[in-house]
Amino acid sequence: MKHTADYRVYYEDTDAVGIMYHANFISFCERGRSEMLRAIGYPASETLEKLKVGFVVRHIDCDFLTMVKLDDLLTVETTVKEMKNTSFLMSQNIVCQNKVAFSMDITLVCMSPDGKPDRIPDLLRKKFDDFQI
């Protein structure tokens, strides 16, 4: 199963000619991951408190496939591709008008409060199982 979240492209997201600025694709994906965490009961604001871990980006591999413009409605699709001991790989697509406009694989590392890699909590692993492909 994949998690989905919808967003509209606003003026602030675009460049001078009304095309979405490239860095905002990654920002919309961040929102999608945050909404996925919220959907499984662990909003990003509470992961440190509830699970005693946080997440940092280790690697991003992305492709810009089609243009996105002002007022377009976007759907961010998020899935989990792989779980390791301390890191996991997610795949995200931004869909616009039934076409994939942006595709990204992102590796996130689970970190302890003291900033060291930490094992992904079993509780979180179980919640991510629903979104694994």
Side-chain angles (χ1 to χ4, degrees), residues 18-79:
I19 297 170
M20 191 160 88
Y21 182 67
H22 71 281
N24 288 335
F25 285 89
I26 295 170
S27 295
F28 277 95
C29 286
E30 174 73 32
R31 292 178 193 179
R33 290 191 309 278
S34 293
E35 289 302 323
M36 182 179 162
L37 284 171
R38 183 179 313 286
I40 64 172
Y42 296 100
S45 61
E46 297 177 12
T47 55
L48 190 58
E49 178 186 318
K50 286 184 175 180
L51 298 173
K52 307 294 185 235
V53 296
F55 309 105
V56 296
V57 174
R58 183 182 177 281
H59 181 80
I60 294 175
D61 183 21
C62 61
D63 288 309
F64 299 87
L65 303 169
T66 62
M67 187 172 35
V68 169
K69 301 177 301 255
L70 179 65
D71 285 331
D72 280 345
L73 182 62
L74 308 177
T75 300
V76 178
E77 302 173 337
T78 304
T79 57

Side-chain angles (χ1 to χ4, degrees), residues 37 40 42 51 55 120-128:
L37 284 171
I40 64 172
Y42 296 100
L51 298 173
F55 309 105
I120 300 166
D122 289 337
L123 193 58
L124 190 60
R125 283 179 185 280
K126 288 178 184 156
K127 296 283 188 174
F128 277 169

